[in-house]
Amino acid sequence: YWIYPTYYDKDAQQVFLDAFSSNDLVHWTKHERIVDTSSVKWAKKAMWAPAIVQKDSLYYLFFSANDVHPGEVGGIGVAVSKNPEGPFKDLLGKPLINENHNGAQPIDQFVFRDKDGEYYMFYGGWGHCNMVHLKKDFTGLLPFDNNDIYKEITPQGYVEGPLIFMRNNKYYLMWSEG
């Protein structure tokens, strides 16, 4: 079992992510600094909201960094490792999503593998939620059938923190309100 939490501190000190592993959910091992700003050069502060995906023999760690606002560098990044405990290295050398689209700040991503094997990311802050279709190697975004890249799916009351899962062939979207 693995947990990838956010380390909380002032933005300037929140520059790394740790992980925890357990074989029994009782005893835990801390894996310190599985990724930090030394391996993600564009990230300067506020790394948070990790979302991990294992694909083939690699682990992909999506994260938010820099608490980006219009005109700034930051947003959603992706790092890769051969091991769940890292070390993770920046996959792109830049954010995967750096700008606001449909009013959604590029933060709080959740990566979902659909039943067809395709990967989608749900993300967004500032009261807007977007869905994007990820390339198979996670290096970019694919257009939807109508050629849109960013599909807004904001439910009523949405603030941030989307999570999606499927049960009995039905999709469920959860999020933070208030």
Side-chain angles (χ1 to χ4, degrees), residues 37-96:
T37 54
S38 70
S39 62
V40 181
K41 301 297 184 195
W42 58 267
K44 304 296 182 202
K45 62 180 181 175
M47 293 180 79
W48 81 98
I52 189 99
V53 173
Q54 181 183 7
K55 184 173 183 287
D56 303 322
S57 61
L58 297 173
Y59 295 86
Y60 295 88
L61 183 69
F62 295 80
F63 57 92
S64 302
N66 295 354
D67 194 19
V68 68
H69 295 81
E72 298 176 347
V73 174
I76 297 171
V78 58
V80 63
S81 177
K82 293 180 182 177
N83 303 298
E85 70 274 14
F88 285 84
K89 301 295 179 196
D90 191 1
L91 181 65
L92 304 174
K94 63 181 182 178
L96 177 64

Side-chain angles (χ1 to χ4, degrees), residues 61-159:
L61 183 69
F62 295 80
F63 57 92
S64 302
N66 295 354
D67 194 19
V68 68
H69 295 81
E72 298 176 347
V73 174
I76 297 171
V78 58
V80 63
S81 177
K82 293 180 182 177
N83 303 298
E85 70 274 14
F88 285 84
K89 301 295 179 196
D90 191 1
L91 181 65
L92 304 174
K94 63 181 182 178
L96 177 64
I97 301 175
N98 182 50
E99 303 200 8
N100 296 358
H101 296 276
N102 302 320
Q105 184 187 30
I107 64 167
D108 289 3
Q109 63 291 326
F110 181 81
V111 178
F112 175 75
R113 182 175 183 253
D114 206 351
K115 58 187 173 186
D116 62 3
E118 296 292 312
Y119 287 86
Y120 298 87
M121 185 168 53
F122 298 79
Y123 77 91
W126 293 346
H128 294 275
C129 184
N130 282 338
M131 172 182 162
V132 294
H133 186 184
L134 295 167
K135 287 185 175 181
K136 293 187 184 311
D137 61 3
F138 302 135
T139 60
L141 309 176
L142 297 170
F144 291 102
D145 290 341
N146 65 359
N147 288 323
D148 287 346
I149 300 290
Y150 302 90
K151 182 183 284 190
E152 184 168 7
I153 60 160
T154 307
Q156 184 176 352
Y158 178 89
V159 174

